[in-house]
Amino acid sequence: QQQVKQSPQSLIVQKGGISIINCAYENTAFDYFPWYQQFPGKGPALLIAIRPDVSEKKEGRFTISFNKSAKQFSLHIMDSQPGDSATYFCAAAREGGGADGLTFGKGTHLIIQP
Amino acid sequence: NAGVTQTPKFRVLKTGQSMTLLCAQDMNHEYMYWYRQDPGMGLRLIHYSVGEGTTAKGEVPDGYNVSRLKKQNFLLGLESAAPSQTSVYFCASSWTALNQPQHFGDGTRLSIL
């Protein structure tokens, strides 16, 4: 059973455009939603994270939008740059629960064309 | 500051062979995790540890064993490797489950022939 569904699987955006990646979760016990960025040959690295007490969080060009009632959250990358080309993973965890790690989406391969 | 270091970076095994993957972290983190990453599957949790001397099963634990004899090290063992275990393995660590994020190593690419 896939608890975090991520779409699209791949995405091509022109330089300067907005990249949007969506995730939906099933487990209402999840209360921590991070996004990880992974470059080829490297491990994932935390990009930005949100908790369900806020509907939006912005850090530079990266914004998470969170809709608790719809059990959905999304990553927006404004003014997308070629250096943003990477694989992005959404994830969810029960921060107040056990130490059983993160449940990841299947990833989105993002390509920013110059 | 090295963060999370995984060794080896690459390995090719024959079916039935055994090996141990080593993860070392220098951040004094309590929690450590082993994930596997397969194309189109994202990352799946194999085993985790909430402290020295403790381990627990994750989502896909079959065929793997782990040990956390020292706080800074988390070992992942394959007793009898199978082709289905061909994957990229990532180790991660965090202060506690209540204080994400997790810090990842750069992975071990393992092929089982």
Side-chain angles (χ1 to χ4, degrees):
Chain A
Q1 181 182 3
Q2 184 185 359
Q3 295 195 60
V4 179
K5 294 183 179 180
Q6 183 172 347
S7 63
Q9 194 170 23
S10 61
L11 180 62
I12 299 174
V13 175
Q14 295 297 315
K15 178 182 176 182
I18 302 173
S19 304
I20 302 174
I21 304 171
N22 300 299
C23 284
Y25 63 97
E26 300 169 1
N27 188 345
T28 55
F30 288 146
D31 52 9
Y32 174 73
F33 303 91
W35 285 88
Y36 281 78
Q37 179 187 56
Q38 184 181 30
F39 294 106
K42 297 294 185 180
L46 180 68
L47 186 63
I48 186 172
I50 197 168
R51 291 176 172 80
D53 53 342
V54 296
S55 61
E56 185 176 282
K57 182 174 182 180
K58 183 177 181 180
E59 291 185 359
R61 296 184 293 110
F62 301 91
T63 300
I64 299 179
S65 297
F66 184 78
N67 186 329
K68 187 174 182 178
S69 61
K71 293 188 289 186
Q72 295 176 347
F73 58 110
S74 60
L75 175 69
H76 292 63
I77 305 175
M78 312 300 288
D79 186 26
S80 299
Q81 299 296 312
D84 297 330
S85 297
T87 300
Y88 292 81
F89 294 94
C90 63
R94 297 180 298 121
E95 190 178 37
D100 50 353
L102 295 163
T103 299
F104 284 88
K106 292 187 176 182
T108 296
H109 183 51
L110 174 64
I111 297 173
I112 307 301
Q113 291 187 332
Chain B
N1 191 345
V4 178
T5 303
Q6 293 184 232
T7 54
K9 297 186 183 304
F10 304 94
R11 186 72 183 269
V12 178
L13 290 178
K14 295 181 179 179
T15 298
Q17 287 184 318
S18 63
M19 79 161 296
T20 300
L21 280 64
L22 173 64
C23 176
Q25 54 95 3
D26 62 2
M27 297 172 283
N28 202 34
H29 285 170
E30 288 292 335
Y31 291 12
M32 297 187 74
Y33 311 82
W34 276 106
Y35 294 90
R36 61 177 289 173
Q37 184 177 33
D38 302 293
M41 295 295 293
L43 290 97
R44 293 180 291 170
L45 183 66
I46 304 171
H47 285 281
Y48 64 96
S49 168
V50 302
E52 181 178 322
T54 71
T55 63
K57 294 180 179 180
E59 179 185 358
V60 289
D62 294 344
Y64 305 95
N65 57 77
V66 289
S67 64
R68 184 102 179 267
L69 299 180
K70 295 183 178 180
K71 184 178 182 178
Q72 64 269 33
N73 295 336
F74 195 29
L75 279 62
L76 177 70
L78 286 73
E79 291 185 347
S80 180
S84 61
Q85 294 177 304
T86 293
S87 187
V88 181
Y89 292 86
F90 287 98
C91 176
S93 69
S94 65
W95 284 109
T96 71
L98 302 181
N99 188 15
Q100 313 285 359
Q102 294 182 13
H103 298 260
F104 284 80
D106 284 339
T108 294
R109 286 146 187 80
L110 184 61
S111 294
I112 315 297
L113 304 179

